[in-house]
Amino acid sequence: MSNNLQAIRGMHDILPDQTGLWQRIEDSARAVIESYGYAEIRTPLVEVTELFKRSIGEVTDIVEKEMYSFPDRGGDSLSLRPEGTASCVRAAVEHGLLNQAQRLWYRGPMFRHERPQKGRYRQFHQIGVEVFGLPGPDVDLEVILITRRIWRALGLSDLRLEVNTLGEGPERTAYRTELVRYLAAHEGELDEDSCRRLETNPLRVLDSKNPELRELIAGAPSILDHLGEASRAHFASLCAGLDAAGIHYRVNPRLVRGLDYYNRTVFEWVSDRLGAQGTVCAGGRYDGLVQQLGGRATPAVGFALGLERLVALVEESPGTPGPALDAYLVAVGPAAEQRALLLAEELREAVPGLRLLCHCGGGSFKSQFKKADKSGARYALVLGDAELARGVAGIKPLRDDGEQVELPLAGLAGFLAGAD
Ligand code: HAM
């Protein structure tokens, strides 16, 4: 097998028996997001490395350790995008989209050289939204409402929402000083990673997954005690909105996020069914990023959900998707085989959205029926030379015990259009 080429570790093929579920999830999310008036944006998979350094932050795990960066033939450093927000901001500034409010969404693969494990991959897929030009907590609430509606559309009822606020720059600086003082006083208890973060990015110590640090972190000072009036009011208004919308949430003052661009609202939706990688969706406000990347000061908020994690949750949830095919056309005999592809064309033309597979390659009734059954189709349409000569076709239900019936060819489209 050593000569066989394989996909790169942490990068997975999504095989035909899975793509139906992926499409269902993507279609549901897209329909929900567009029902809020968001428009799709598509950006390149590759950007200059500088973009991610200046947005996500030089001393974050993503930029320090996880980017797929390479010099292109001209010598510029390029990177596969590790996330979508930075690219959206770059595109919005570059194309002058920010002279009015924008509600954007995107989907596609992202790349991070992390240690692969269940729910954590090196190529993974996100669907995200980014809103530009609206500063208030109302739009923070709107993006969270979108996520709740997506979970509902997918029948997921057990995701937990955690929210926090990171305040504004000066508030965070004051908090950071106090946090460093606290952590430095306990330096002997910190693990190696946290000692390093204490120097470079102390808020990230709060995000440590090391159970031995749990108590220490629980006793750390809280950002919520360092907020100014405006940040406090913003957060209070968001929380009141969540209450009014009946969304249960937990304020988690230790929620800091792994990317540097956030201010004020941050949030995560977490599942207990996914093990260590339980965060299905994450986001927040990043009012400083547009200016930081060369645009004029523009408030912004957004989120991204991880499709692999969502697929894993939906896969486990009760309620399987309906059959992928409406019908499988079985054709036996020279005249029937010749007619079959064209009959299938006529049916697709007459019944919008019909999912019809036309058997190709001949074979007996028995072998074609076997394939029809295996295809998961709801009906087999049966065309033999004898039926064709009489201008009829058989219809056999494949998913229940119904008898085969005969219909005139001209009645097939009406039958299939009416089958729900
Ligand atoms: P993030 O927390 O880095 O945020 O990623 C968002 C989601 O993407 C995660 O909650 C997770 O579901 C999924 N995800 C991240 N890394 C992986 C991985 N290695 N394998 C599988 N899934 C993964 C962002 O990317 C921000 N851009 C979100 C945002 C948008 N904030 C504001 N606007």
Short mmCIF file of all heavy atoms in Angstrom, two decimals, residues 62 82-86 106 110 112 114 119-126 128-130 257-259 261-262 268-269 277-286 301-310, ligand 1:
data_model
loop_
_atom_site.label_atom_id
_atom_site.label_comp_id
_atom_site.label_asym_id
_atom_site.label_seq_id
_atom_site.Cartn_x
_atom_site.Cartn_y
_atom_site.Cartn_z
N ILE A 62 -2.75 30.29 16.35
CA ILE A 62 -2.98 30.18 14.91
C ILE A 62 -1.79 30.73 14.14
O ILE A 62 -1.23 30.06 13.26
CB ILE A 62 -4.29 30.91 14.49
CG1 ILE A 62 -5.51 30.26 15.12
CG2 ILE A 62 -4.43 30.94 12.96
CD1 ILE A 62 -6.83 30.94 14.80
N PRO A 82 -6.72 30.58 7.60
CA PRO A 82 -7.09 29.77 8.76
C PRO A 82 -8.49 30.08 9.27
O PRO A 82 -9.02 29.37 10.13
CB PRO A 82 -6.05 30.19 9.81
CG PRO A 82 -5.66 31.57 9.43
CD PRO A 82 -5.84 31.71 7.94
N GLU A 83 -9.11 31.14 8.74
CA GLU A 83 -10.45 31.57 9.16
C GLU A 83 -10.95 32.57 8.13
O GLU A 83 -10.19 32.95 7.23
CB GLU A 83 -10.41 32.18 10.56
CG GLU A 83 -9.47 33.37 10.69
CD GLU A 83 -10.17 34.69 10.89
OE1 GLU A 83 -11.04 34.77 11.75
OE2 GLU A 83 -9.86 35.64 10.14
N GLY A 84 -12.20 33.01 8.27
CA GLY A 84 -12.79 33.84 7.22
C GLY A 84 -12.90 35.32 7.52
O GLY A 84 -13.09 36.13 6.61
N THR A 85 -12.81 35.70 8.79
CA THR A 85 -13.09 37.09 9.15
C THR A 85 -12.09 38.06 8.51
O THR A 85 -12.49 39.09 7.94
CB THR A 85 -13.05 37.24 10.69
OG1 THR A 85 -13.89 36.25 11.25
CG2 THR A 85 -13.50 38.61 11.12
N ALA A 86 -10.80 37.72 8.61
CA ALA A 86 -9.77 38.64 8.10
C ALA A 86 -9.97 38.87 6.60
O ALA A 86 -9.88 40.01 6.13
CB ALA A 86 -8.38 38.05 8.37
N TYR A 106 -20.48 33.67 4.45
CA TYR A 106 -19.54 32.92 3.61
C TYR A 106 -19.50 31.48 4.09
O TYR A 106 -19.92 31.16 5.20
CB TYR A 106 -18.12 33.53 3.69
CG TYR A 106 -17.60 33.63 5.11
CD1 TYR A 106 -16.90 32.59 5.71
CD2 TYR A 106 -17.85 34.77 5.87
CE1 TYR A 106 -16.45 32.68 7.01
CE2 TYR A 106 -17.41 34.87 7.17
CZ TYR A 106 -16.71 33.82 7.74
OH TYR A 106 -16.28 33.92 9.04
N MET A 110 -11.20 26.00 5.62
CA MET A 110 -10.18 26.77 6.35
C MET A 110 -9.06 25.78 6.69
O MET A 110 -9.30 24.56 6.75
CB MET A 110 -10.76 27.34 7.65
CG MET A 110 -12.05 28.11 7.47
SD MET A 110 -11.83 29.65 6.59
CE MET A 110 -13.51 30.02 6.09
N ARG A 112 -5.73 24.86 9.28
CA ARG A 112 -4.89 25.12 10.45
C ARG A 112 -4.08 23.86 10.72
O ARG A 112 -4.66 22.76 10.81
CB ARG A 112 -5.73 25.46 11.69
CG ARG A 112 -6.54 26.72 11.53
CD ARG A 112 -7.31 27.07 12.80
NE ARG A 112 -8.31 28.09 12.50
CZ ARG A 112 -9.19 28.56 13.36
NH1 ARG A 112 -9.20 28.12 14.61
NH2 ARG A 112 -10.07 29.48 13.00
N GLU A 114 -3.13 22.01 13.09
CA GLU A 114 -3.30 21.62 14.49
C GLU A 114 -3.06 20.12 14.60
O GLU A 114 -2.98 19.41 13.60
CB GLU A 114 -4.73 21.91 14.95
CG GLU A 114 -5.08 23.39 14.91
CD GLU A 114 -6.34 23.69 15.67
OE1 GLU A 114 -6.30 23.68 16.91
OE2 GLU A 114 -7.38 23.93 15.02
N GLY A 119 -13.00 15.91 15.75
CA GLY A 119 -13.53 17.27 15.75
C GLY A 119 -12.50 18.34 15.48
O GLY A 119 -12.84 19.52 15.45
N ARG A 120 -11.23 17.94 15.31
CA ARG A 120 -10.20 18.95 15.01
C ARG A 120 -9.39 18.49 13.82
O ARG A 120 -8.75 17.44 13.87
CB ARG A 120 -9.30 19.15 16.23
CG ARG A 120 -8.40 20.36 16.06
CD ARG A 120 -7.79 20.76 17.36
NE ARG A 120 -6.81 19.77 17.79
CZ ARG A 120 -6.23 19.77 19.00
NH1 ARG A 120 -6.54 20.68 19.88
NH2 ARG A 120 -5.35 18.85 19.31
N TYR A 121 -9.44 19.26 12.75
CA TYR A 121 -8.83 18.83 11.50
C TYR A 121 -7.93 19.93 10.95
O TYR A 121 -7.95 21.07 11.43
CB TYR A 121 -9.94 18.48 10.49
CG TYR A 121 -10.93 17.52 11.10
CD1 TYR A 121 -12.18 17.94 11.55
CD2 TYR A 121 -10.56 16.19 11.33
CE1 TYR A 121 -13.05 17.07 12.17
CE2 TYR A 121 -11.43 15.30 11.95
CZ TYR A 121 -12.68 15.75 12.37
OH TYR A 121 -13.52 14.89 13.01
N ARG A 122 -7.15 19.57 9.96
CA ARG A 122 -6.25 20.57 9.38
C ARG A 122 -6.92 21.29 8.22
O ARG A 122 -6.61 22.44 7.96
CB ARG A 122 -4.95 19.88 8.96
CG ARG A 122 -4.17 19.46 10.19
CD ARG A 122 -2.86 18.79 9.88
NE ARG A 122 -2.13 18.61 11.13
CZ ARG A 122 -1.00 17.92 11.24
NH1 ARG A 122 -0.46 17.35 10.17
NH2 ARG A 122 -0.40 17.83 12.40
N GLN A 123 -7.79 20.59 7.50
CA GLN A 123 -8.73 21.31 6.64
C GLN A 123 -10.11 21.07 7.24
O GLN A 123 -10.50 19.93 7.45
CB GLN A 123 -8.70 20.79 5.20
CG GLN A 123 -9.80 21.46 4.37
CD GLN A 123 -9.76 21.15 2.88
OE1 GLN A 123 -8.72 20.97 2.30
NE2 GLN A 123 -10.93 21.11 2.28
N PHE A 124 -10.78 22.15 7.55
CA PHE A 124 -12.14 22.03 8.08
C PHE A 124 -12.99 23.08 7.39
O PHE A 124 -12.47 23.90 6.62
CB PHE A 124 -12.15 22.18 9.61
CG PHE A 124 -11.62 23.50 10.08
CD1 PHE A 124 -12.48 24.55 10.41
CD2 PHE A 124 -10.25 23.72 10.19
CE1 PHE A 124 -11.98 25.78 10.83
CE2 PHE A 124 -9.74 24.94 10.61
CZ PHE A 124 -10.61 25.97 10.93
N HIS A 125 -14.29 23.07 7.65
CA HIS A 125 -15.19 23.96 6.91
C HIS A 125 -16.00 24.81 7.86
O HIS A 125 -16.48 24.31 8.88
CB HIS A 125 -16.11 23.13 6.01
CG HIS A 125 -15.37 22.33 4.99
ND1 HIS A 125 -14.72 21.16 5.31
CD2 HIS A 125 -15.14 22.55 3.68
CE1 HIS A 125 -14.11 20.69 4.23
NE2 HIS A 125 -14.35 21.51 3.23
N GLN A 126 -16.13 26.04 7.50
CA GLN A 126 -16.93 26.96 8.32
C GLN A 126 -18.04 27.58 7.47
O GLN A 126 -17.88 27.77 6.27
CB GLN A 126 -16.07 28.12 8.86
CG GLN A 126 -15.07 27.75 9.92
CD GLN A 126 -14.34 28.98 10.45
OE1 GLN A 126 -14.30 30.03 9.80
NE2 GLN A 126 -13.76 28.86 11.64
N GLY A 128 -19.89 31.25 8.06
CA GLY A 128 -19.78 32.39 8.97
C GLY A 128 -20.58 33.57 8.49
O GLY A 128 -21.00 33.63 7.32
N VAL A 129 -20.83 34.50 9.39
CA VAL A 129 -21.44 35.77 9.01
C VAL A 129 -20.58 36.90 9.58
O VAL A 129 -19.95 36.72 10.62
CB VAL A 129 -22.90 35.94 9.52
CG1 VAL A 129 -23.73 34.71 9.24
CG2 VAL A 129 -22.96 36.28 10.99
N GLU A 130 -20.55 38.01 8.89
CA GLU A 130 -19.85 39.20 9.39
C GLU A 130 -20.75 40.40 9.09
O GLU A 130 -21.23 40.54 7.96
CB GLU A 130 -18.49 39.40 8.69
CG GLU A 130 -17.61 38.16 8.61
CD GLU A 130 -17.06 37.65 9.95
OE1 GLU A 130 -17.24 38.33 10.99
OE2 GLU A 130 -16.47 36.55 9.96
N ARG A 257 -11.48 33.57 23.92
CA ARG A 257 -11.29 33.35 22.48
C ARG A 257 -9.82 33.35 22.10
O ARG A 257 -8.99 33.97 22.75
CB ARG A 257 -12.05 34.39 21.63
CG ARG A 257 -13.50 34.55 22.00
CD ARG A 257 -14.36 33.47 21.43
NE ARG A 257 -14.33 33.50 19.98
CZ ARG A 257 -13.88 32.50 19.22
NH1 ARG A 257 -13.45 31.39 19.77
NH2 ARG A 257 -13.88 32.59 17.92
N GLY A 258 -9.50 32.65 21.03
CA GLY A 258 -8.10 32.45 20.65
C GLY A 258 -7.59 33.42 19.59
O GLY A 258 -6.49 33.26 19.10
N LEU A 259 -8.42 34.39 19.22
CA LEU A 259 -7.99 35.36 18.21
C LEU A 259 -8.01 36.74 18.87
O LEU A 259 -8.88 37.02 19.69
CB LEU A 259 -8.93 35.32 17.00
CG LEU A 259 -9.13 33.94 16.34
CD1 LEU A 259 -10.29 33.17 16.95
CD2 LEU A 259 -9.36 34.08 14.85
N TYR A 261 -8.59 39.82 17.81
CA TYR A 261 -9.28 41.02 17.33
C TYR A 261 -10.56 41.38 18.08
O TYR A 261 -11.18 42.39 17.81
CB TYR A 261 -9.56 40.94 15.82
CG TYR A 261 -10.16 39.66 15.28
CD1 TYR A 261 -11.40 39.19 15.67
CD2 TYR A 261 -9.47 38.93 14.31
CE1 TYR A 261 -11.94 38.03 15.12
CE2 TYR A 261 -10.00 37.76 13.75
CZ TYR A 261 -11.23 37.32 14.17
OH TYR A 261 -11.76 36.18 13.63
N TYR A 262 -10.95 40.58 19.05
CA TYR A 262 -12.26 40.82 19.67
C TYR A 262 -12.26 41.97 20.68
O TYR A 262 -11.26 42.23 21.35
CB TYR A 262 -12.75 39.56 20.38
CG TYR A 262 -13.07 38.44 19.43
CD1 TYR A 262 -12.23 37.35 19.31
CD2 TYR A 262 -14.21 38.48 18.64
CE1 TYR A 262 -12.52 36.31 18.42
CE2 TYR A 262 -14.51 37.45 17.76
CZ TYR A 262 -13.66 36.38 17.66
OH TYR A 262 -13.95 35.37 16.78
N GLU A 268 -19.80 31.62 22.53
CA GLU A 268 -19.57 30.29 21.96
C GLU A 268 -20.79 29.41 22.22
O GLU A 268 -21.40 29.50 23.30
CB GLU A 268 -18.34 29.61 22.60
CG GLU A 268 -17.03 30.28 22.25
CD GLU A 268 -15.79 29.50 22.70
OE1 GLU A 268 -15.92 28.47 23.39
OE2 GLU A 268 -14.69 29.95 22.35
N TRP A 269 -21.11 28.57 21.25
CA TRP A 269 -22.13 27.54 21.43
C TRP A 269 -21.40 26.22 21.59
O TRP A 269 -20.58 25.85 20.73
CB TRP A 269 -23.05 27.43 20.22
CG TRP A 269 -24.06 28.52 20.07
CD1 TRP A 269 -23.94 29.65 19.32
CD2 TRP A 269 -25.37 28.57 20.66
NE1 TRP A 269 -25.09 30.40 19.40
CE2 TRP A 269 -25.98 29.76 20.21
CE3 TRP A 269 -26.09 27.72 21.52
CZ2 TRP A 269 -27.27 30.12 20.59
CZ3 TRP A 269 -27.38 28.09 21.89
CH2 TRP A 269 -27.96 29.28 21.43
N GLN A 277 -13.52 18.65 21.72
CA GLN A 277 -13.73 19.73 20.74
C GLN A 277 -15.23 20.05 20.67
O GLN A 277 -15.88 19.79 19.66
CB GLN A 277 -13.18 19.31 19.36
CG GLN A 277 -11.73 18.90 19.38
CD GLN A 277 -10.82 19.99 19.93
OE1 GLN A 277 -11.02 21.17 19.67
NE2 GLN A 277 -9.83 19.62 20.71
N GLY A 278 -15.75 20.60 21.74
CA GLY A 278 -17.20 20.77 21.85
C GLY A 278 -17.74 22.08 21.32
O GLY A 278 -18.95 22.27 21.25
N THR A 279 -16.87 23.01 20.94
CA THR A 279 -17.38 24.32 20.48
C THR A 279 -17.80 24.22 19.02
O THR A 279 -16.98 24.01 18.14
CB THR A 279 -16.32 25.41 20.66
OG1 THR A 279 -15.89 25.39 22.01
CG2 THR A 279 -16.89 26.78 20.34
N VAL A 280 -19.08 24.40 18.80
CA VAL A 280 -19.63 24.23 17.46
C VAL A 280 -19.62 25.55 16.70
O VAL A 280 -19.54 25.59 15.48
CB VAL A 280 -21.08 23.71 17.57
CG1 VAL A 280 -21.72 23.57 16.21
CG2 VAL A 280 -21.09 22.38 18.29
N CYS A 281 -19.68 26.65 17.45
CA CYS A 281 -19.83 27.95 16.81
C CYS A 281 -19.26 29.00 17.75
O CYS A 281 -19.43 28.89 18.97
CB CYS A 281 -21.31 28.19 16.58
SG CYS A 281 -21.73 29.86 16.06
N ALA A 282 -18.56 29.98 17.18
CA ALA A 282 -17.95 30.98 18.04
C ALA A 282 -17.89 32.32 17.32
O ALA A 282 -17.78 32.36 16.09
CB ALA A 282 -16.54 30.54 18.43
N GLY A 283 -17.94 33.38 18.08
CA GLY A 283 -17.86 34.68 17.43
C GLY A 283 -17.84 35.82 18.43
O GLY A 283 -17.62 35.61 19.63
N GLY A 284 -18.07 36.99 17.90
CA GLY A 284 -18.08 38.17 18.76
C GLY A 284 -17.85 39.43 17.96
O GLY A 284 -17.82 39.43 16.73
N ARG A 285 -17.67 40.52 18.74
CA ARG A 285 -17.52 41.84 18.15
C ARG A 285 -16.05 42.15 17.95
O ARG A 285 -15.20 41.71 18.74
CB ARG A 285 -18.18 42.84 19.12
CG ARG A 285 -18.27 44.24 18.67
CD ARG A 285 -19.33 45.01 19.44
NE ARG A 285 -20.64 44.84 18.83
CZ ARG A 285 -21.02 45.40 17.68
NH1 ARG A 285 -20.18 46.17 16.99
NH2 ARG A 285 -22.22 45.20 17.19
N TYR A 286 -15.74 42.86 16.86
CA TYR A 286 -14.33 43.23 16.61
C TYR A 286 -14.31 44.63 15.99
O TYR A 286 -13.98 44.80 14.82
CB TYR A 286 -13.63 42.19 15.74
CG TYR A 286 -14.37 41.79 14.48
CD1 TYR A 286 -14.05 42.36 13.25
CD2 TYR A 286 -15.39 40.84 14.50
CE1 TYR A 286 -14.71 42.01 12.08
CE2 TYR A 286 -16.06 40.49 13.35
CZ TYR A 286 -15.72 41.08 12.15
OH TYR A 286 -16.40 40.74 11.00
N VAL A 301 -19.25 42.69 13.84
CA VAL A 301 -19.55 41.53 14.68
C VAL A 301 -19.83 40.34 13.77
O VAL A 301 -20.29 40.52 12.64
CB VAL A 301 -20.74 41.82 15.63
CG1 VAL A 301 -22.02 42.11 14.85
CG2 VAL A 301 -20.99 40.68 16.62
N GLY A 302 -19.53 39.14 14.25
CA GLY A 302 -19.81 37.97 13.42
C GLY A 302 -19.58 36.68 14.18
O GLY A 302 -19.27 36.69 15.38
N PHE A 303 -19.76 35.58 13.47
CA PHE A 303 -19.47 34.27 14.05
C PHE A 303 -19.10 33.30 12.94
O PHE A 303 -19.34 33.59 11.75
CB PHE A 303 -20.67 33.71 14.83
CG PHE A 303 -21.85 33.34 13.97
CD1 PHE A 303 -21.87 32.16 13.23
CD2 PHE A 303 -22.97 34.17 13.90
CE1 PHE A 303 -22.96 31.82 12.42
CE2 PHE A 303 -24.06 33.84 13.09
CZ PHE A 303 -24.05 32.66 12.36
N ALA A 304 -18.52 32.18 13.32
CA ALA A 304 -18.33 31.09 12.36
C ALA A 304 -18.70 29.78 13.05
O ALA A 304 -18.38 29.59 14.23
CB ALA A 304 -16.89 31.03 11.88
N LEU A 305 -19.38 28.92 12.32
CA LEU A 305 -19.67 27.60 12.87
C LEU A 305 -18.86 26.55 12.14
O LEU A 305 -18.55 26.70 10.95
CB LEU A 305 -21.17 27.30 12.84
CG LEU A 305 -21.93 27.35 11.53
CD1 LEU A 305 -21.78 26.06 10.77
CD2 LEU A 305 -23.41 27.58 11.85
N GLY A 306 -18.46 25.52 12.88
CA GLY A 306 -17.62 24.46 12.31
C GLY A 306 -18.50 23.36 11.75
O GLY A 306 -19.23 22.69 12.49
N LEU A 307 -18.44 23.18 10.43
CA LEU A 307 -19.37 22.23 9.81
C LEU A 307 -19.10 20.78 10.21
O LEU A 307 -20.04 20.01 10.41
CB LEU A 307 -19.31 22.37 8.29
CG LEU A 307 -20.20 23.49 7.75
CD1 LEU A 307 -19.90 23.78 6.30
CD2 LEU A 307 -21.68 23.09 7.89
N GLU A 308 -17.81 20.40 10.35
CA GLU A 308 -17.53 19.00 10.74
C GLU A 308 -18.21 18.67 12.07
O GLU A 308 -18.78 17.60 12.25
CB GLU A 308 -16.03 18.75 10.86
CG GLU A 308 -15.29 18.53 9.55
CD GLU A 308 -15.06 19.80 8.76
OE1 GLU A 308 -15.38 20.90 9.27
OE2 GLU A 308 -14.56 19.72 7.62
N ARG A 309 -18.12 19.63 13.00
CA ARG A 309 -18.70 19.38 14.33
C ARG A 309 -20.22 19.34 14.25
O ARG A 309 -20.88 18.55 14.91
CB ARG A 309 -18.21 20.45 15.30
CG ARG A 309 -16.71 20.35 15.49
CD ARG A 309 -16.16 21.36 16.47
NE ARG A 309 -14.70 21.34 16.37
CZ ARG A 309 -13.89 22.11 17.07
NH1 ARG A 309 -14.39 22.97 17.94
NH2 ARG A 309 -12.58 22.04 16.91
N LEU A 310 -20.77 20.22 13.41
CA LEU A 310 -22.22 20.24 13.26
C LEU A 310 -22.71 18.94 12.60
O LEU A 310 -23.71 18.36 13.02
CB LEU A 310 -22.59 21.45 12.39
CG LEU A 310 -23.99 22.02 12.53
CD1 LEU A 310 -24.35 22.22 13.98
CD2 LEU A 310 -24.09 23.33 11.76
P1 HAM B 1 -12.76 30.05 15.76
O1 HAM B 1 -13.21 29.90 17.17
O2 HAM B 1 -11.31 29.96 15.50
O3 HAM B 1 -13.31 31.45 15.26
O4 HAM B 1 -13.49 29.00 14.85
C1 HAM B 1 -14.90 28.93 14.78
C2 HAM B 1 -15.38 27.50 14.75
O5 HAM B 1 -14.72 26.78 13.70
C3 HAM B 1 -15.03 26.70 15.99
O6 HAM B 1 -15.98 26.92 17.02
C4 HAM B 1 -15.10 25.28 15.48
O7 HAM B 1 -16.44 24.83 15.43
C5 HAM B 1 -14.55 25.43 14.07
N1 HAM B 1 -13.13 25.06 14.04
C6 HAM B 1 -12.07 25.82 14.35
N2 HAM B 1 -10.91 25.14 14.20
C7 HAM B 1 -11.25 23.90 13.78
C8 HAM B 1 -10.51 22.71 13.45
N3 HAM B 1 -9.17 22.68 13.47
N4 HAM B 1 -11.20 21.61 13.06
C9 HAM B 1 -12.55 21.63 13.01
N5 HAM B 1 -13.30 22.71 13.31
C10 HAM B 1 -12.67 23.84 13.70
C11 HAM B 1 -13.11 31.95 14.02
O8 HAM B 1 -12.66 31.33 13.11
C12 HAM B 1 -13.62 33.37 13.86
N6 HAM B 1 -13.29 33.81 12.50
C13 HAM B 1 -15.12 33.44 14.12
C14 HAM B 1 -15.67 34.82 13.94
C15 HAM B 1 -16.31 35.29 12.84
N7 HAM B 1 -15.60 35.80 14.81
C16 HAM B 1 -16.17 36.88 14.29
N8 HAM B 1 -16.60 36.59 13.08
#
